[in-house]
Amino acid sequence: MRGHDVGHVAEEKGARRLTVAIDGPAGVGKSTVAKLLASQLGYLYLDTGALYRAMAWALIESGRDPADAEAVAALLPTLSLQMQFHHGTAMVLVNGRDVTGELRTPEVSAAASTVSAVPAVRAWLLPIQRQIGQGGAVVAEGRDMGTKVFPSADVKFFLEADPNVRAQRRHRELVTAGHSGPFEETSADLASRDTRDRSRAIAPLVPAEDARHIDTSNLSATEVVDQMMAVIAAKL
Ligand code: DC
């Protein structure tokens, strides 16, 4: 499942192939930072939110309600979900169809958050995530990387930021992607997604005990990556 063309700088230098876990709420800058970090290290960037989004996309496509746990569970045996990596970029395939460009709409975001609370979905996605991450040299980003998927990750970060800053960032992203609605709508969507992600019974968004917390409210992505690299360099 892992692409053969991922350049592992760490391998060339004979350094260790670390597993780096990055968790935090929506709009905190996780994806930007995780991508930059993975590219600096020559590691694979694993965006686990894309897997939940692909699941949500498949549910919407099949006309099922993402909140209906039984309907969702019934879809799983018929579903094939793959992540393919080419030169550091991931492509997400649902039953062989490339859906990468369709995963970041507000509709898919809301459905992904809802479906991620279904225990059967989390159990189904667990081995997929671990398989992609096996062998290390990976920067894995999501909500439960440090707590559930890679509990023995070599380095764990938990990113936080002021909710208003997060809503502004997310709104800018949406505008850039051409999905703009009013800022108030983005802000309200983010707040309800936060509540769902933090309060669900299974694998809620909580920091691992051994995670390093970084508040990104007043930091650029490069500054966050620099802080992370300082921690990681000591382990390589
Ligand atoms: O990171 P993201 O916004 O692309 O994630 C979409 C949704 O998927 C998010 O609302 C929560 C869920 N998710 C999760 O529950 N666990 C993960 N490891 C990643 C994402």
Side-chain angles (χ1 to χ4, degrees):
M1 203 174 286
R2 258 173 101 140
H4 58 277
D5 53 356
V6 178
H8 289 301
V9 171
E11 247 171 42
E12 288 158 22
K13 289 183 185 161
R16 292 182 58 212
R17 298 165 57 88
L18 302 178
T19 297
V20 180
I22 303 181
D23 292 302
V28 81
K30 288 191 307 290
S31 305
T32 310
V33 160
K35 248 181 252 169
L36 272 172
L37 185 67
S39 119
Q40 279 198 23
L41 288 163
Y43 280 12
L44 191 78
Y45 162 53
L46 170 56
D47 169 12
T48 60
L51 294 171
Y52 286 91
R53 286 171 181 274
M55 179 77 75
W57 182 92
L59 285 161
I60 294 168
E61 182 77 357
S62 74
R64 285 166 217 248
D65 174 4
D68 181 345
E70 267 180 41
V72 172
L75 177 80
L76 296 178
T78 69
L79 190 66
S80 147
L81 231 171
Q82 278 178 296
M83 228 178 204
Q84 291 182 355
F85 298 91
H86 300 284
H87 306 288
T89 316
M91 207 164 85
V92 186
L93 306 180
V94 174
N95 297 330
R97 172 171 166 189
D98 178 9
V99 297
T100 319
E102 298 169 50
L103 300 181
R104 311 221 55 96
T105 63
E107 189 191 10
V108 170
S109 296
S113 173
T114 303
V115 80
S116 70
V118 176
V121 167
R122 304 205 73 87
W124 195 85
L125 285 177
L126 188 63
I128 297 179
Q129 297 170 80
R130 288 195 176 146
Q131 194 196 342
I132 298 170
Q134 76 184 2
V138 64
V139 176
E141 176 233 318
R143 302 292 189 289
D144 59 347
M145 299 298 99
T147 50
K148 291 279 184 293
V149 180
F150 302 111
S152 49
D154 302 284
V155 193
K156 298 179 186 177
F157 296 104
F158 193 86
L159 304 189
E160 294 165 288
D162 177 83
N164 197 43
V165 171
R166 294 197 281 118
Q168 279 166 6
R169 284 181 186 155
R170 182 46 56 100
H171 189 63
R172 265 199 304 273
E173 263 173 41
L174 287 172
V175 171
T176 308
H179 297 295
S180 82
F183 171 75
E184 292 68 29
E185 194 179 300
T186 310
S187 180
D189 281 357
L190 199 88
S192 62
R193 206 139 75 84
D194 267 7
T195 308
R196 262 199 308 267
D197 293 348
R198 288 182 205 270
S199 63
R200 66 178 173 230
I202 179 167
L205 172 65
V206 284
E209 270 179 21
D210 50 349
R212 283 162 192 274
H213 293 238
I214 302 178
D215 187 329
T216 70
S217 306
N218 299 307
L219 297 175
S220 69
T222 317
E223 286 169 330
V224 177
V225 170
D226 287 349
Q227 284 194 19
M228 290 176 159
M229 281 301 275
V231 176
I232 292 166
K235 308 232 175 198
L236 282 171

